[in-house]
Amino acid sequence: MPLSALPPIATSLPDYRAMEDTVLAARIGAVRQQMGPRLVILGHHYQQDGVIAHADLQGDSYQLSKSAAERSTCEAIVFCGVHFMAETADILANRPDKVAARGGRRVNVILPDMAAGCSMADMAAIEQVEDAWSDLATTIDTSEITPVTYINSAASLKAFCGKHGGIVCTSSNAEAVLKWSFAQRRRVLFFPDQHLGRNTAKRMSIPLNEMCLWNPHEPRLGGNDSKQVEKSRVILWQGHCSVHAMFRPEHVAAMRQNIPDIKILVHPECPMEVVDQADQAGSTSYIIRQVEQAPAGTKWAIGTELHLVKRLEQLYPEQQIRFLSPVVCMCATMYRIDLAHLCWSLEHLAIGKPVNLIRVDDETAKWAVTALERMLAVG
Ligand code: 13P
Ligand code: SF4
């Protein structure tokens, strides 16, 4: 149905919230039809099904950033994900060379709900990282450290890595990025997710006693003594994902006891004690691939965000898929992106009055893109 055939655009979010999902879906479809290839909707695997149904591309953090980096002709990217993902899309879609090639036109990047943040990204502020770097310089030579930020971080942290010879990683390339980092320098400062950092370093045979945990709230050396810092090859920021931290080793033990031939498949944001006991660990796309490729009848207990596990259950009814935890582990901020916010932001975009624009300032973007491009080159 064309947009003109629908009732006129509502103005406030409560008006959209009052609409039935079927009405919202029809209006979203109408904007997509009207804008055609000028509009790209990106959706992370953790989004709810109703939202994913409208995405041009569904992916993990790496695939979505790569897709944003490759967009050169669209006018707008509406990002159904969280704030750091939209920032990354803005940085990559609006690299100065791309903007120049478009005659100065920027791609508008829109996050349908500005409150869709990431609690893990909020655990490392740029001031804390800069303080940590200065504090480390009192004990070790910081020119020996590659700073590595997980993509789940503010643009300012990516810029910090760009300026200091560092790099960005995602859960799908963390090992390749750490290898690259150690090829540059002998130590790594990894933020904000201690678990992805520890799980990846351990998989690369770095012993735990060559890692230390940096608590940004401690007054000196992140709560470590200087000897511990000196012998550390990996300095792990004390941050975590509040969703994946809820998976516990006792959940793995209980599953194995009840269903002896079950396969445990988890995301590497889970604590080390869970990853160590799992059969396989990897990014959201890795998890999807394992299930896709498995024969009918395979029994899985999956430790990642609930919406993805529920979708897999529906897509692969011939397999026996269970959620690893007995309690609900759901990303409340991803869930903020609903049909009402999506429709509200799309209709404003369609009438030339975009809302919720994400715009990283030029100086931050310049350095952040350096770190992001190093990551894209690693793959
Ligand atoms: P990936 O999709 O890259 O595995 O990321 C998981 C996640 O927690 C996103 O915030
Ligand atoms: Fe952040 Fe965890 Fe939600 Fe991913 S799942 S957006 S890491 S809080």
Side-chain angles (χ1 to χ4, degrees):
M1 197 185 317
L3 197 56
S4 53
L6 290 166
I9 176 172
T11 47
S12 70
L13 257 170
D15 292 338
Y16 287 91
R17 285 207 192 97
M19 292 178 196
E20 298 283 334
D21 280 359
T22 48
V23 174
L24 290 165
R27 297 181 77 119
I28 291 167
V31 175
R32 293 183 71 203
Q33 197 180 18
Q34 179 186 313
M35 292 193 67
R38 293 186 289 131
L39 167 69
V40 173
I41 302 180
L42 300 180
H44 186 268
H45 291 310
Y46 292 161
Q47 291 293 308
Q48 41 191 309
D49 287 344
V51 169
I52 281 297
H54 300 286
D56 295 296
L57 177 79
Q58 178 190 339
D60 68 11
S61 308
Y62 181 80
Q63 292 164 329
L64 295 173
S65 340
K66 201 161 173 295
S67 163
E70 284 159 5
R71 300 286 154 190
S72 44
T73 53
C74 70
E75 284 171 24
I77 295 176
V78 175
F79 213 118
C80 299
V82 289
H83 193 268
F84 72 81
M85 297 179 179
E87 272 191 340
T88 304
D90 176 50
I91 295 165
L92 290 169
N94 289 310
R95 282 170 294 182
D97 56 321
K98 292 221 157 201
V99 173
R102 289 186 214 116
R105 183 180 60 77
R106 292 182 66 86
V107 171
N108 282 331
V109 177
I110 288 163
L111 181 64
D113 184 348
M114 285 299 206
C118 165
S119 54
M120 176 205 286
D122 293 342
M123 290 177 195
I126 184 60
E127 298 77 16
Q128 292 175 315
V129 172
E130 279 167 352
D131 285 353
W133 196 255
S134 311
D135 204 6
L136 282 165
T138 64
T139 304
I140 52 177
D141 180 358
T142 50
S143 69
E144 290 182 340
I145 309 174
T146 306
V148 180
T149 189
Y150 189 22
I151 198 162
N152 300 33
S153 57
S156 52
L157 271 69
K158 297 181 176 83
F160 178 92
C161 290
K163 268 185 208 159
H164 291 88
I167 187 165
V168 178
C169 77
T170 71
S171 57
S172 64
N173 60 16
E175 189 164 340
V177 165
L178 281 196
K179 277 187 189 136
W180 178 93
S181 304
F182 285 119
Q184 319 301 311
R185 299 166 187 173
R186 56 185 285 250
R187 303 180 201 268
V188 160
L189 170 61
F190 191 97
F191 41 84
D193 187 15
Q194 58 169 302
H195 299 301
L196 178 66
R198 187 181 293 109
N199 288 326
T200 310
K202 194 168 177 223
R203 194 163 151 155
M204 292 166 69
S205 306
I206 298 177
L208 289 177
N209 66 6
E210 291 180 18
M211 302 185 209
C212 68
L213 190 60
W214 187 278
N215 179 350
H217 303 291
E218 287 288 340
R220 176 88 186 108
L221 288 181
N224 297 282
D225 60 32
S226 50
K227 277 207 178 67
Q228 183 59 44
V229 172
E230 275 160 21
K231 72 174 182 184
S232 291
R233 289 173 64 202
V234 183
I235 301 154
L236 298 164
W237 195 264
Q238 196 172 332
H240 64 270
C241 164
S242 42
V243 178
H244 290 91
M246 288 165 78
F247 295 103
R248 308 298 316 154
E250 48 275 23
H251 301 156
V252 179
M255 278 290 174
R256 290 209 194 279
Q257 196 177 13
N258 291 339
I259 312 163
D261 55 346
I262 199 150
K263 284 183 192 290
I264 312 283
L265 176 57
V266 300
H267 195 279
E269 286 175 15
C270 292
M272 178 181 74
E273 297 73 17
V274 173
V275 171
D276 282 355
Q277 290 190 35
D279 297 291
Q280 288 159 282
S283 72
T284 50
S285 292
Y286 175 87
I287 290 172
I288 294 167
R289 265 198 318 277
Q290 302 320 302
V291 176
E292 257 168 21
Q293 292 165 3
T298 308
K299 296 172 192 159
W300 298 104
I302 304 182
T304 194
E305 207 272 349
L306 184 66
H307 287 91
L308 174 55
V309 181
K310 291 273 162 218
R311 184 172 310 123
L312 289 170
E313 267 177 44
Q314 279 165 19
L315 287 172
Y316 300 97
E318 73 286 2
Q319 300 195 31
Q320 293 179 35
I321 298 174
R322 288 170 180 75
F323 193 57
L324 177 58
S325 167
V327 295
V328 171
C329 306
M330 175 192 118
C331 182
T333 49
M334 288 268 185
Y335 191 62
R336 292 195 71 95
I337 309 294
D338 55 14
L339 288 182
H341 282 89
L342 182 56
C343 188
W344 171 71
S345 56
L346 285 175
E347 290 197 343
H348 280 79
L349 180 67
I351 58 161
K353 291 186 180 165
V355 288
N356 288 7
L357 279 172
I358 300 294
R359 170 80 156 93
V360 177
D361 69 86
D362 291 346
E363 181 62 15
T364 306
K366 178 178 104 180
W367 287 107
V369 85
T370 306
L372 282 163
E373 281 179 345
R374 286 181 188 133
M375 173 189 85
L376 292 171
V378 168

